[in-house]
Amino acid sequence: MIVHFDDQLAILRIAGDEDRTTSGRRRRPLSAALKATRDVIVDLSELHFADASVMIDLACLAQRLRAHGMTLSLRHPQPHIRRLIELVGLHRLPSVMVIVPQAAPVPA
């Protein structure tokens, strides 16, 4: 489990396995992200497991950022994490964008 916020780049990295039992370790990085002065990117590329508590934390972050005119971009979620994002409706919040890597073109 790794959760880190880089305030210079406004990137929140969430990696490993995250669930309700690790929520205490997310508090400090999430609090730092709440103080961002620009749009925040959440790098999910190395998040292998997450439960709904992670999505709730991200939804709260998105709503707080939106109140200050900023957005939250969820970058490169694994397919099963993307399904969880869609299941809980996080992708439908007005200030949230999901960025998925483009598939490489198949050679002809």
Side-chain angles (χ1 to χ4, degrees):
M1 182 284 307
I2 298 171
V3 181
H4 173 74
F5 183 68
D6 181 328
D7 57 344
Q8 297 289 333
L9 300 174
I11 296 176
L12 178 67
R13 296 183 201 289
I14 305 177
D17 296 340
E18 282 291 320
D19 60 25
R20 188 173 54 89
T21 63
T22 60
S23 65
R25 297 182 200 158
R26 289 194 301 268
R27 281 195 189 105
R28 181 169 280 141
L30 284 168
S31 293
L34 286 171
K35 298 173 188 166
T37 56
R38 60 181 171 169
D39 296 343
V40 173
I41 296 170
V42 182
D43 182 351
L44 299 172
S45 62
E46 295 182 24
L47 180 61
H48 303 292
F49 173 81
D51 69 3
S53 72
V54 178
M55 300 301 123
I56 291 167
D57 285 349
L58 292 175
C60 291
L61 175 59
Q63 289 177 331
R64 296 275 299 274
L65 289 172
R66 182 173 183 238
H68 292 85
M70 293 176 279
T71 63
L72 184 71
S73 297
L74 306 176
R75 184 171 66 184
H76 301 168
Q78 302 289 332
H80 58 285
I81 300 297
R82 185 174 178 195
R83 281 191 294 278
L84 179 59
I85 290 167
E86 293 169 355
L87 180 67
V88 301
L90 184 58
H91 67 297
R92 288 192 295 256
L93 292 177
S95 59
V96 174
M97 293 178 289
V98 180
I99 303 166
V100 294
Q102 296 296 321
V106 177

